[in-house]
Coordinates of all heavy atoms in Angstrom, one line a residue:
M1 N 72.2 150.8 113.8 CA 72.1 149.5 114.4 C 71.5 149.6 115.8 O 71.7 150.5 116.6 CB 73.5 148.8 114.6 CG 73.3 147.4 115.1 SD 74.8 146.3 115.3 CE 75.9 146.7 113.9
A2 N 70.6 148.7 116.2 CA 69.9 148.8 117.5 C 70.8 148.4 118.6 O 71.8 147.6 118.5 CB 68.8 147.8 117.5
T3 N 70.6 149.2 119.7 CA 71.5 148.9 120.9 C 70.8 147.7 121.7 O 69.6 147.6 121.7 CB 71.5 150.1 121.8 OG1 70.2 150.5 122.2 CG2 72.1 151.3 121.0
P4 N 71.7 146.9 122.3 CA 71.2 145.8 123.1 C 70.4 146.3 124.2 O 70.8 147.4 124.8 CB 72.4 145.0 123.5 CG 73.6 145.9 123.3 CD 73.1 146.9 122.3
P5 N 69.5 145.6 124.8 CA 68.7 146.0 126.0 C 69.6 146.1 127.2 O 70.5 145.2 127.3 CB 67.6 145.0 126.1 CG 68.2 143.8 125.4 CD 69.0 144.3 124.4
Q6 N 69.4 146.9 128.1 CA 70.2 147.1 129.3 C 69.4 146.2 130.3 O 68.3 146.5 130.8 CB 70.1 148.6 129.7 CG 70.9 149.5 128.8 CD 72.3 149.1 128.6 OE1 73.0 148.8 129.6 NE2 72.8 149.2 127.4
L7 N 70.1 145.2 130.8 CA 69.5 144.2 131.7 C 70.1 144.5 133.1 O 71.2 144.9 133.3 CB 70.0 142.8 131.3 CG 69.5 142.3 130.0 CD1 70.1 140.9 129.7 CD2 68.0 142.2 129.9
S8 N 69.2 144.3 134.1 CA 69.6 144.4 135.4 C 70.6 143.2 135.8 O 70.6 142.2 135.0 CB 68.4 144.3 136.4 OG 67.8 143.1 136.3
P9 N 71.3 143.3 136.8 CA 72.2 142.2 137.1 C 71.5 140.8 137.4 O 72.0 139.8 137.0 CB 72.9 142.7 138.3 CG 72.8 144.2 138.4 CD 71.6 144.5 137.6
E10 N 70.3 140.9 137.9 CA 69.5 139.7 138.1 C 69.1 139.1 136.8 O 69.2 137.9 136.6 CB 68.3 140.0 139.0 CG 68.6 140.5 140.4 CD 68.8 142.0 140.4 OE1 68.3 142.7 139.6 OE2 69.5 142.4 141.4
D11 N 68.6 139.9 135.9 CA 68.2 139.5 134.6 C 69.3 138.9 133.8 O 69.2 137.9 133.1 CB 67.5 140.6 133.8 CG 66.1 141.0 134.4 OD1 65.6 140.2 135.1 OD2 65.7 142.1 134.0
R12 N 70.5 139.6 133.9 CA 71.6 139.1 133.2 C 72.1 137.7 133.7 O 72.4 136.8 133.0 CB 72.8 140.1 133.3 CG 74.0 139.7 132.6 CD 75.1 140.9 132.7 NE 76.4 140.4 132.3 CZ 76.8 140.2 131.1 NH1 75.9 140.4 130.0 NH2 78.0 139.8 130.8
A13 N 72.0 137.6 135.0 CA 72.4 136.2 135.7 C 71.4 135.2 135.2 O 71.8 134.1 135.0 CB 72.4 136.4 137.2
K14 N 70.1 135.5 135.1 CA 69.1 134.5 134.7 C 69.4 134.1 133.2 O 69.4 132.9 132.9 CB 67.7 135.1 134.8 CG 67.2 135.1 136.1 CD 65.9 135.7 136.2 CE 65.3 136.0 137.6 NZ 64.0 136.6 137.6
A15 N 69.7 135.1 132.4 CA 70.0 134.8 131.0 C 71.2 134.0 130.8 O 71.3 133.0 130.0 CB 70.2 136.1 130.2
L16 N 72.3 134.2 131.6 CA 73.5 133.4 131.5 C 73.3 132.0 132.1 O 73.8 131.1 131.5 CB 74.6 134.2 132.4 CG 75.2 135.4 131.8 CD1 76.1 136.1 132.8 CD2 75.9 135.1 130.5
A17 N 72.4 131.9 133.0 CA 72.1 130.5 133.5 C 71.3 129.7 132.5 O 71.6 128.5 132.3 CB 71.4 130.6 134.9
K18 N 70.5 130.4 131.9 CA 69.6 129.7 130.8 C 70.5 129.3 129.6 O 70.3 128.2 129.1 CB 68.5 130.7 130.3 CG 67.5 130.1 129.4 CD 66.5 131.1 129.0 CE 65.5 130.5 128.0 NZ 64.5 131.6 127.5
A19 N 71.4 130.1 129.2 CA 72.3 129.8 128.1 C 73.2 128.6 128.5 O 73.5 127.7 127.7 CB 73.1 131.0 127.7
K20 N 73.7 128.6 129.6 CA 74.5 127.5 130.2 C 73.7 126.2 130.2 O 74.3 125.2 129.7 CB 75.0 127.9 131.6 CG 76.0 126.7 132.1 CD 76.5 127.1 133.4 CE 77.5 126.1 134.0 NZ 77.9 126.4 135.3
E21 N 72.5 126.3 130.6 CA 71.7 125.0 130.7 C 71.5 124.5 129.3 O 71.5 123.4 129.0 CB 70.4 125.4 131.3 CG 69.4 124.2 131.4 CD 68.1 124.5 132.1 OE1 68.0 125.6 132.7 OE2 67.2 123.7 131.9
A22 N 71.3 125.4 128.3 CA 71.0 125.0 126.9 C 72.3 124.4 126.4 O 72.2 123.3 125.6 CB 70.6 126.2 126.1
R23 N 73.4 124.9 126.6 CA 74.7 124.4 126.1 C 75.0 123.0 126.7 O 75.4 122.1 126.0 CB 75.8 125.4 126.5 CG 75.9 126.5 125.5 CD 77.3 127.3 125.8 NE 77.6 127.6 127.1 CZ 77.2 128.7 127.8 NH1 76.5 129.6 127.1 NH2 77.6 129.0 129.0
T24 N 74.6 122.9 128.0 CA 74.8 121.6 128.7 C 73.9 120.6 128.1 O 74.4 119.4 127.9 CB 74.5 121.8 130.2 OG1 75.4 122.8 130.7 CG2 74.8 120.5 130.9
K25 N 72.6 120.9 127.8 CA 71.8 119.9 127.2 C 72.2 119.6 125.8 O 72.1 118.3 125.5 CB 70.3 120.5 127.3 CG 69.6 120.5 128.6 CD 68.3 121.0 128.5 CE 67.7 121.0 129.9 NZ 66.3 121.5 129.8
R26 N 72.7 120.5 125.0 CA 73.1 120.1 123.7 C 74.4 119.2 123.8 O 74.5 118.3 122.9 CB 73.4 121.4 122.9 CG 72.2 122.1 122.3 CD 72.5 123.1 121.3 NE 73.1 124.3 121.8 CZ 72.4 125.2 122.3 NH1 71.1 125.3 122.3 NH2 73.0 126.3 122.8
A27 N 75.3 119.5 124.7 CA 76.5 118.7 124.9 C 76.0 117.2 125.3 O 76.6 116.2 124.8 CB 77.3 119.2 126.0
Q28 N 75.1 117.1 126.1 CA 74.5 115.8 126.6 C 73.9 115.1 125.3 O 74.1 113.9 125.2 CB 73.5 115.9 127.7 CG 72.9 114.6 128.2 CD 73.9 113.7 128.8 OE1 74.9 114.2 129.4 NE2 73.8 112.5 128.6
L29 N 73.2 115.8 124.5 CA 72.6 115.2 123.3 C 73.6 114.7 122.4 O 73.5 113.6 121.9 CB 71.6 116.2 122.7 CG 71.0 115.8 121.3 CD1 70.1 114.6 121.7 CD2 70.3 116.9 120.8
R30 N 74.7 115.5 122.3 CA 75.8 115.0 121.4 C 76.5 113.8 121.9 O 76.7 112.8 121.1 CB 77.0 116.1 121.2 CG 76.5 117.3 120.3 CD 77.7 118.1 120.0 NE 78.4 118.6 121.1 CZ 78.1 119.7 121.7 NH1 77.1 120.4 121.4 NH2 78.8 120.2 122.8
K31 N 76.6 113.7 123.2 CA 77.2 112.4 123.8 C 76.2 111.2 123.5 O 76.7 110.1 123.3 CB 77.4 112.6 125.3 CG 78.5 113.5 125.6 CD 78.7 113.6 127.2 CE 79.8 114.6 127.5 NZ 79.9 114.9 128.9
E32 N 74.9 111.5 123.7 CA 74.0 110.4 123.5 C 74.0 109.9 122.0 O 73.8 108.7 121.7 CB 72.6 110.8 123.9 CG 72.4 111.0 125.4 CD 71.1 111.5 125.8 OE1 70.2 111.8 124.9 OE2 70.8 111.6 127.0
I33 N 74.1 110.8 121.1 CA 74.2 110.5 119.7 C 75.5 109.7 119.4 O 75.5 108.7 118.8 CB 74.1 111.8 118.8 CG1 72.8 112.4 118.9 CG2 74.4 111.4 117.4 CD1 72.7 113.7 118.3
A34 N 76.6 110.2 119.9 CA 77.9 109.5 119.7 C 77.9 108.1 120.3 O 78.5 107.2 119.7 CB 79.0 110.3 120.3
S35 N 77.3 107.9 121.5 CA 77.2 106.6 122.1 C 76.1 105.6 121.5 O 76.2 104.4 121.8 CB 77.0 106.7 123.6 OG 75.7 107.1 123.9
G36 N 75.3 106.2 120.7 CA 74.3 105.3 120.0 C 73.0 105.2 120.8 O 72.1 104.5 120.4
K37 N 72.8 106.0 121.9 CA 71.6 106.0 122.7 C 70.5 106.6 121.9 O 69.3 106.3 122.1 CB 71.8 106.7 124.0 CG 72.7 105.9 125.0 CD 72.8 106.6 126.3 CE 73.7 105.9 127.2 NZ 73.9 106.6 128.5
K38 N 70.8 107.6 121.1 CA 69.8 108.3 120.3 C 70.2 108.1 118.9 O 71.3 108.3 118.5 CB 69.7 109.8 120.6 CG 69.1 110.0 122.0 CD 68.3 111.3 122.0 CE 67.6 111.4 123.3 NZ 66.6 112.4 123.3
D39 N 69.2 107.9 117.9 CA 69.5 107.8 116.5 C 69.1 109.1 115.9 O 68.4 109.9 116.4 CB 68.9 106.6 115.9 CG 67.4 106.7 115.9 OD1 66.8 107.3 116.8 OD2 66.7 106.0 115.1
L40 N 69.6 109.2 114.6 CA 69.5 110.5 113.9 C 67.9 110.7 113.6 O 67.5 111.9 113.7 CB 70.2 110.4 112.5 CG 70.2 111.6 111.7 CD1 70.8 112.8 112.4 CD2 70.8 111.3 110.3
K41 N 67.2 109.7 113.3 CA 65.7 109.9 113.0 C 65.0 110.5 114.2 O 64.2 111.4 114.0 CB 65.1 108.6 112.6 CG 63.7 108.7 112.1 CD 63.1 107.4 111.5 CE 61.8 107.7 111.0 NZ 61.3 106.4 110.3
A42 N 65.3 110.0 115.4 CA 64.6 110.5 116.6 C 65.0 112.0 116.8 O 64.2 112.8 117.3 CB 65.0 109.7 117.8
V43 N 66.3 112.2 116.6 CA 66.7 113.6 116.8 C 66.1 114.6 115.9 O 65.6 115.7 116.2 CB 68.2 113.7 116.8 CG1 68.7 115.2 116.9 CG2 68.9 112.9 117.8
L44 N 66.1 114.2 114.6 CA 65.5 115.1 113.5 C 63.9 115.2 113.7 O 63.3 116.3 113.4 CB 65.8 114.6 112.2 CG 67.2 114.6 111.7 CD1 67.5 114.0 110.4 CD2 67.7 116.1 111.7
N45 N 63.2 114.2 114.3 CA 61.8 114.3 114.5 C 61.5 115.1 115.7 O 60.4 115.6 115.9 CB 61.3 112.9 114.7 CG 61.2 112.1 113.5 OD1 61.1 112.6 112.4 ND2 61.1 110.8 113.6
S46 N 62.5 115.4 116.5 CA 62.2 116.3 117.7 C 62.9 117.7 117.5 O 63.3 118.4 118.4 CB 62.8 115.7 118.9 OG 64.3 115.6 118.8
A47 N 62.8 118.1 116.2 CA 63.4 119.4 115.8 C 62.6 120.6 116.4 O 63.1 121.7 116.5 CB 63.5 119.6 114.3
N48 N 61.3 120.3 116.9 CA 60.5 121.4 117.5 C 61.0 121.7 118.8 O 60.7 122.8 119.4 CB 59.1 121.0 117.5 CG 58.5 120.9 116.1 OD1 59.0 121.6 115.2 ND2 57.5 120.2 115.9
D49 N 61.7 120.8 119.5 CA 62.4 121.1 120.8 C 63.4 122.2 120.6 O 64.4 122.1 119.8 CB 63.0 119.8 121.4 CG 63.7 120.0 122.7 OD1 63.4 121.0 123.4 OD2 64.5 119.1 123.0
P50 N 63.4 123.2 121.5 CA 64.3 124.3 121.3 C 65.7 123.9 121.4 O 66.6 124.5 120.7 CB 63.9 125.3 122.4 CG 62.8 124.7 123.1 CD 62.4 123.5 122.5
I51 N 66.0 122.9 122.3 CA 67.5 122.5 122.4 C 68.0 121.9 121.2 O 69.0 122.2 120.6 CB 67.6 121.5 123.6 CG1 67.1 122.2 124.9 CG2 69.0 121.0 123.7 CD1 67.9 123.4 125.3
V52 N 67.2 121.0 120.6 CA 67.5 120.3 119.3 C 67.4 121.3 118.1 O 68.3 121.2 117.3 CB 66.6 119.0 119.1 CG1 66.9 118.4 117.8 CG2 66.7 118.1 120.2
G53 N 66.4 122.0 118.0 CA 66.2 122.9 116.9 C 67.2 123.9 116.7 O 67.6 124.3 115.6
R54 N 67.9 124.4 117.8 CA 68.9 125.4 117.6 C 70.3 124.8 117.5 O 71.3 125.5 117.4 CB 68.8 126.3 118.9 CG 67.6 127.2 118.9 CD 67.6 128.2 120.0 NE 66.3 128.9 119.9 CZ 65.5 129.1 121.0 NH1 65.9 128.5 122.2 NH2 64.4 129.7 120.9
M55 N 70.4 123.5 117.4 CA 71.7 122.9 117.2 C 72.0 123.0 115.8 O 71.2 122.8 114.8 CB 71.6 121.4 117.6 CG 72.9 120.7 117.4 SD 72.8 118.9 117.8 CE 73.2 119.0 119.5
K56 N 73.3 123.3 115.4 CA 73.7 123.3 114.0 C 73.8 121.9 113.4 O 74.2 121.0 114.1 CB 75.1 124.1 114.0 CG 75.0 125.5 114.3 CD 76.2 126.2 113.8 CE 76.0 127.7 114.1 NZ 77.0 128.5 113.4
V57 N 73.4 121.8 112.2 CA 73.4 120.5 111.4 C 74.8 120.0 111.5 O 75.0 118.8 111.6 CB 72.8 120.7 110.1 CG1 72.8 119.4 109.4 CG2 71.4 121.3 110.1
K58 N 75.8 120.8 111.2 CA 77.1 120.4 111.2 C 77.6 119.7 112.4 O 78.2 118.6 112.4 CB 78.0 121.6 110.9 CG 79.5 121.3 110.6 CD 80.2 122.5 110.2 CE 81.6 122.2 109.8 NZ 82.3 123.4 109.4
T59 N 77.2 120.3 113.5 CA 77.5 119.7 114.8 C 76.8 118.4 115.0 O 77.4 117.4 115.6 CB 77.1 120.7 115.9 OG1 77.7 121.9 115.7 CG2 77.5 120.1 117.3
L60 N 75.6 118.3 114.6 CA 74.8 117.1 114.7 C 75.4 116.0 113.9 O 75.6 114.8 114.4 CB 73.4 117.3 114.3 CG 72.4 116.2 114.2 CD1 72.2 115.6 115.7 CD2 71.1 116.5 113.5
I61 N 75.8 116.2 112.7 CA 76.4 115.2 111.8 C 77.7 114.7 112.3 O 78.0 113.6 112.4 CB 76.5 115.7 110.4 CG1 75.1 115.9 109.8 CG2 77.3 114.7 109.5 CD1 75.2 116.6 108.4
E62 N 78.5 115.7 112.8 CA 79.8 115.3 113.3 C 79.8 114.5 114.6 O 80.7 113.8 114.9 CB 80.7 116.6 113.5 CG 81.2 117.2 112.3 CD 81.9 118.5 112.4 OE1 82.1 119.0 113.6 OE2 82.4 119.1 111.4
A63 N 78.7 114.5 115.3 CA 78.5 113.8 116.6 C 78.2 112.3 116.3 O 78.4 111.5 117.1 CB 77.4 114.4 117.4
L64 N 77.8 112.1 115.0 CA 77.5 110.7 114.7 C 78.8 109.8 114.6 O 79.8 110.3 114.1 CB 76.7 110.6 113.4 CG 75.3 111.2 113.3 CD1 74.9 111.4 111.8 CD2 74.4 110.3 114.1
P65 N 78.7 108.6 115.0 CA 79.9 107.7 114.9 C 80.2 107.5 113.5 O 79.4 107.3 112.7 CB 79.4 106.4 115.6 CG 78.1 106.7 116.3 CD 77.5 107.9 115.7
G66 N 81.5 107.6 113.1 CA 82.0 107.4 111.8 C 81.9 108.6 110.9 O 82.2 108.5 109.8
C67 N 81.5 109.8 111.4 CA 81.4 111.0 110.5 C 82.3 112.0 111.2 O 82.2 112.4 112.3 CB 80.0 111.6 110.6 SG 78.8 110.7 109.7
G68 N 83.3 112.4 110.3 CA 84.2 113.4 110.7 C 83.9 114.8 109.9 O 82.9 114.8 109.3
K69 N 84.8 115.6 110.0 CA 84.6 116.9 109.3 C 84.5 116.8 107.8 O 83.7 117.4 107.2 CB 85.8 117.8 109.7 CG 85.7 118.3 111.1 CD 86.8 119.3 111.4 CE 86.8 119.7 112.9 NZ 86.5 121.0 113.2
V70 N 85.4 115.9 107.2 CA 85.4 115.8 105.7 C 84.1 115.2 105.3 O 83.5 115.7 104.3 CB 86.6 115.0 105.3 CG1 86.6 114.7 103.8 CG2 87.9 115.7 105.7
K71 N 83.7 114.0 105.9 CA 82.5 113.4 105.5 C 81.3 114.3 105.7 O 80.4 114.4 104.8 CB 82.3 112.1 106.2 CG 81.2 111.3 105.8 CD 81.2 109.9 106.5 CE 80.1 109.0 105.9 NZ 80.1 107.7 106.6
C72 N 81.3 115.1 106.8 CA 80.2 116.0 107.1 C 80.1 117.0 106.0 O 79.0 117.3 105.5 CB 80.4 116.6 108.4 SG 79.3 117.9 108.9
E73 N 81.2 117.6 105.6 CA 81.2 118.7 104.7 C 80.7 118.2 103.3 O 80.0 118.8 102.6 CB 82.6 119.3 104.5 CG 83.0 120.2 105.7 CD 84.5 120.7 105.6 OE1 85.1 120.5 104.5 OE2 84.9 121.3 106.6
K74 N 81.2 116.9 102.9 CA 80.7 116.4 101.7 C 79.2 116.1 101.6 O 78.5 116.4 100.7 CB 81.4 115.0 101.4 CG 81.0 114.4 100.1 CD 81.9 113.2 99.8 CE 81.6 112.5 98.5 NZ 80.5 112.8 97.7
I75 N 78.7 115.6 102.7 CA 77.2 115.3 102.8 C 76.5 116.6 102.8 O 75.5 116.8 102.0 CB 77.0 114.5 104.2 CG1 77.5 113.1 104.0 CG2 75.4 114.5 104.4 CD1 77.5 112.4 105.3
M76 N 76.9 117.6 103.5 CA 76.2 118.9 103.5 C 76.2 119.5 102.1 O 75.2 120.2 101.7 CB 76.7 119.7 104.6 CG 76.3 119.3 106.0 SD 76.9 120.3 107.3 CE 76.1 121.8 107.1
A77 N 77.4 119.4 101.5 CA 77.5 120.0 100.1 C 76.6 119.4 99.1 O 75.9 119.9 98.3 CB 78.9 119.9 99.6
D78 N 76.5 117.9 99.2 CA 75.7 117.2 98.3 C 74.2 117.4 98.5 O 73.5 117.5 97.6 CB 75.9 115.7 98.6 CG 77.3 115.2 98.0 OD1 78.0 116.0 97.2 OD2 77.7 114.1 98.4
L79 N 73.8 117.7 99.7 CA 72.4 117.9 100.1 C 72.0 119.4 100.0 O 71.0 119.8 100.4 CB 72.1 117.4 101.4 CG 72.2 115.9 101.5 CD1 71.9 115.4 103.0 CD2 71.2 115.2 100.6
K80 N 73.0 120.2 99.7 CA 72.8 121.7 99.6 C 72.4 122.3 100.9 O 71.4 123.0 101.0 CB 71.9 122.1 98.5 CG 72.4 121.7 97.1 CD 71.6 122.2 96.1 CE 72.2 121.9 94.7 NZ 72.1 120.6 94.2
I81 N 73.1 121.9 102.0 CA 72.8 122.4 103.3 C 73.9 123.4 103.7 O 75.1 123.1 103.6 CB 72.7 121.3 104.4 CG1 71.7 120.3 104.1 CG2 72.5 121.9 105.8 CD1 71.6 119.1 104.9
A82 N 73.5 124.7 104.1 CA 74.5 125.7 104.4 C 75.3 125.4 105.7 O 74.7 124.7 106.5 CB 73.9 127.0 104.5
D83 N 76.5 125.8 105.9 CA 77.2 125.5 107.0 C 76.7 126.0 108.3 O 76.8 125.5 109.3 CB 78.7 126.2 106.9 CG 79.6 125.3 106.0 OD1 79.2 124.2 105.7 OD2 80.6 125.9 105.6
N84 N 76.0 127.1 108.2 CA 75.4 127.7 109.4 C 73.9 127.3 109.6 O 73.3 127.9 110.5 CB 75.5 129.3 109.4 CG 74.7 129.8 108.1 OD1 74.3 129.1 107.3 ND2 74.6 131.1 108.1
R85 N 73.4 126.4 108.9 CA 72.0 125.9 109.0 C 71.8 125.2 110.4 O 72.6 124.4 110.8 CB 71.6 125.0 107.9 CG 70.3 124.4 108.0 CD 69.1 125.4 107.7 NE 69.3 126.0 106.4 CZ 68.8 127.1 106.1 NH1 68.1 127.8 107.0 NH2 68.9 127.7 104.9
R86 N 70.6 125.5 111.0 CA 70.3 124.8 112.3 C 69.2 123.7 111.9 O 68.6 123.8 110.9 CB 69.8 125.8 113.3 CG 70.9 126.9 113.6 CD 70.5 127.7 114.8 NE 71.6 128.7 115.0 CZ 72.6 128.5 115.8 NH1 72.7 127.5 116.5 NH2 73.4 129.5 116.0
V87 N 69.1 122.8 112.8 CA 68.2 121.7 112.7 C 66.8 122.1 112.3 O 66.1 121.6 111.5 CB 68.2 120.7 113.8 CG1 67.3 119.6 113.7 CG2 69.6 120.1 114.0
Q88 N 66.3 123.1 113.0 CA 64.9 123.6 112.9 C 64.7 124.2 111.4 O 63.6 124.3 111.0 CB 64.5 124.6 113.9 CG 65.2 125.9 113.9 CD 64.9 126.8 115.1 OE1 64.3 126.4 116.0 NE2 65.5 128.0 115.1
G89 N 65.8 124.6 110.8 CA 65.6 125.2 109.5 C 65.7 124.3 108.3 O 65.8 124.7 107.2
L90 N 65.9 123.0 108.6 CA 66.0 122.0 107.5 C 64.6 121.8 106.8 O 63.6 121.8 107.4 CB 66.5 120.6 108.1 CG 67.9 120.5 108.5 CD1 68.3 119.2 109.1 CD2 68.9 120.9 107.3
G91 N 64.7 121.6 105.5 CA 63.5 121.3 104.7 C 63.3 119.8 104.7 O 64.2 119.0 105.1
T92 N 62.2 119.3 104.2 CA 61.8 117.9 104.2 C 62.8 117.1 103.3 O 63.1 116.0 103.6 CB 60.4 117.7 103.8 OG1 60.2 118.3 102.5 CG2 59.4 118.2 104.7
R93 N 63.1 117.7 102.2 CA 64.1 117.0 101.3 C 65.5 116.8 102.0 O 66.1 115.8 101.8 CB 64.2 117.7 100.0 CG 63.0 117.6 99.1 CD 63.2 118.3 97.8 NE 62.0 118.3 97.0 CZ 61.8 119.0 96.0 NH1 62.7 119.8 95.5 NH2 60.6 118.9 95.3
Q94 N 65.9 117.8 102.6 CA 67.2 117.7 103.3 C 67.1 116.7 104.4 O 68.1 116.0 104.6 CB 67.6 119.1 103.9 CG 67.9 120.1 102.8 CD 68.1 121.5 103.3 OE1 67.5 121.9 104.3 NE2 68.9 122.3 102.5
I95 N 66.0 116.7 105.2 CA 65.9 115.7 106.2 C 65.9 114.3 105.7 O 66.5 113.4 106.2 CB 64.6 116.0 107.1 CG1 64.7 117.3 107.9 CG2 64.3 114.8 108.0 CD1 63.6 117.7 108.6
D96 N 65.1 114.1 104.6 CA 65.1 112.8 103.9 C 66.4 112.4 103.4 O 66.8 111.2 103.5 CB 64.1 112.8 102.8 CG 62.6 112.9 103.2 OD1 62.4 112.7 104.5 OD2 61.7 113.3 102.5
G97 N 67.2 113.4 102.8 CA 68.5 113.1 102.4 C 69.5 112.6 103.5 O 70.2 111.7 103.3
L98 N 69.4 113.4 104.6 CA 70.2 113.0 105.7 C 69.9 111.6 106.2 O 70.7 110.8 106.6 CB 70.1 114.0 106.9 CG 70.8 115.3 106.7 CD1 70.4 116.3 107.8 CD2 72.2 115.1 106.7
L99 N 68.6 111.3 106.4 CA 68.2 109.9 106.8 C 68.6 108.9 105.9 O 69.0 107.8 106.3 CB 66.7 109.9 107.1 CG 66.2 110.8 108.3 CD1 64.7 110.8 108.4 CD2 66.8 110.2 109.6
E100 N 68.5 109.1 104.5 CA 68.9 108.1 103.6 C 70.4 107.9 103.6 O 70.8 106.8 103.6 CB 68.6 108.7 102.2 CG 68.9 107.8 101.0 CD 68.5 108.3 99.7 OE1 67.4 109.0 99.6 OE2 69.3 108.3 98.8
R101 N 71.2 109.0 103.8 CA 72.7 108.8 103.9 C 73.1 108.2 105.2 O 74.1 107.5 105.2 CB 73.3 110.2 103.7 CG 73.3 110.8 102.3 CD 74.6 110.5 101.6 NE 74.6 110.9 100.3 CZ 75.3 111.9 99.9 NH1 76.0 112.6 100.7 NH2 75.3 112.3 98.6
L102 N 72.6 108.7 106.3 CA 73.1 108.5 107.6 C 72.2 107.6 108.5 O 72.7 107.1 109.5 CB 73.5 109.7 108.4 CG 74.4 110.7 107.6 CD1 74.4 112.1 108.3 CD2 75.8 110.1 107.6
G103 N 70.9 107.5 108.2 CA 70.0 106.7 109.0 C 70.1 105.3 108.9 O 69.8 104.5 109.6

């Protein structure tokens, strides 16, 4: 197995700050989705954005109003979306299925 790169303290601090910023932006996106400021179609259309693209589909669906864990698992099973799938990895049929069900 490959060993992780040895980072200087400055590089490590930069990487940690970048990761924290990404987590904060994803949390803000979840809040906007839950409040209705952003709809599912707009989010899925911006899948090329690294913040949106790296979000897990399960997290995205559960952020929608009226969708809990059980409903999310059923939708993902019906559309054959793996639990660990990220938004950027969705196919067109899966996106269309999500929009049909939840859009």
Side-chain angles (χ1 to χ4, degrees):
M1 187 181 316
T3 60
Q6 297 298 321
L7 299 175
S8 68
E10 297 85 22
D11 290 340
R12 182 172 167 76
K14 286 179 188 176
L16 288 171
K18 185 178 177 183
K20 182 179 179 182
E21 181 182 344
R23 285 191 306 272
T24 305
K25 286 183 179 179
R26 279 193 290 274
Q28 180 64 32
L29 179 63
R30 285 193 306 272
K31 286 180 185 176
E32 290 175 357
I33 291 169
S35 68
K37 290 181 183 176
K38 290 214 175 193
D39 64 336
L40 183 64
K41 187 173 184 175
V43 173
L44 290 175
N45 286 337
S46 62
N48 292 334
D49 178 18
I51 300 300
V52 176
R54 291 186 182 128
M55 179 183 273
K56 290 196 175 191
V57 176
K58 186 175 186 175
T59 305
L60 175 66
I61 295 172
E62 288 177 358
L64 292 167
C67 285
K69 291 183 183 247
V70 174
K71 188 173 183 180
C72 173
E73 288 176 9
K74 182 175 179 356
I75 290 170
M76 289 182 64
D78 290 346
L79 297 174
K80 296 182 174 81
I81 300 174
D83 284 345
N84 61 349
R85 176 69 62 201
R86 299 193 184 265
V87 173
Q88 68 187 5
L90 288 174
T92 55
R93 289 184 184 168
Q94 293 171 331
I95 290 173
D96 292 342
L98 283 173
L99 290 174
E100 182 181 315
R101 286 262 178 106
L102 303 169

